[in-house]
Amino acid sequence: MADYLFVRQTDGYTCGPTVALVASAALDPAYGATVTDAAGEQHRIHAAANRLWPRKLGTTPWGVAAAISAHTEALGVRYTWRLFRKDLGAVLAAVESDWPVAMLIGATIPRHWVLIVGHEGGALRCFNPSRGEATTVTVTDAQTRRLDTLGFPRAFAVVLPGHTLN
């Protein structure tokens, strides 16, 4: 995963596609090896994920889930989204099993996507595409709306592996 944590979003609307790109490249190394133009790939993902949604409004949770799932279905896993809950059991289990989890954060409205890429000792390692780097926040901070170090205080939704395909 560390190989892709340097990628930065190209504009104020591509945080979701950037998170999907980083997660997909980590989970599907063959895909990651084909990405030679990260900016172009962000815009391609954004267009594909937002066929009916205005791009200036960012990327929906179902759009991020579909973009990541395009690279995990071969692994037998489909990503899904749900509203953020204080019980982070499923999020922690996914990250501890090397499945990154996208998290939509904001203040009064959802505004920005980050990617949870690790968990250790009550701390979440989160890739922030606006900075192109990882930041650490505590699980307690996520549960109590104190995520300001990520740019916004509150989590609204998560996109995580949820369906096993048989």
Side-chain angles (χ1 to χ4, degrees), residues 105 112 114 124 126 128 130-131 133-138 141 146-153:
I105 61 175
H112 184 58
V114 298
L124 301 172
C126 301
N128 190 337
S130 64
R131 297 182 188 135
E133 63 186 25
T135 303
T136 300
V137 297
T138 69
D141 287 345
R146 294 189 315 234
L147 295 172
D148 295 300
T149 58
L150 296 174
F152 295 94

Side-chain angles (χ1 to χ4, degrees), residues 56-135:
K56 297 284 185 188
L57 294 178
T59 309
T60 62
W62 51 91
V64 171
I68 298 171
S69 290
H71 299 280
T72 61
E73 289 184 350
L75 302 172
V77 174
R78 179 174 292 141
Y79 267 68
T80 187
W81 77 277
R82 71 171 197 210
L83 294 175
F84 180 83
R85 301 178 189 142
K86 287 185 179 185
D87 174 11
L88 294 177
V91 169
L92 299 179
V95 173
E96 289 169 359
S97 297
D98 296 325
W99 293 95
V101 174
M103 181 169 61
L104 180 58
I105 61 175
T108 55
I109 61 170
R111 300 280 311 222
H112 184 58
W113 285 99
V114 298
L115 186 67
I116 304 169
V117 298
H119 172 249
E120 187 175 328
L124 301 172
R125 187 166 181 239
C126 301
F127 166 69
N128 190 337
S130 64
R131 297 182 188 135
E133 63 186 25
T135 303

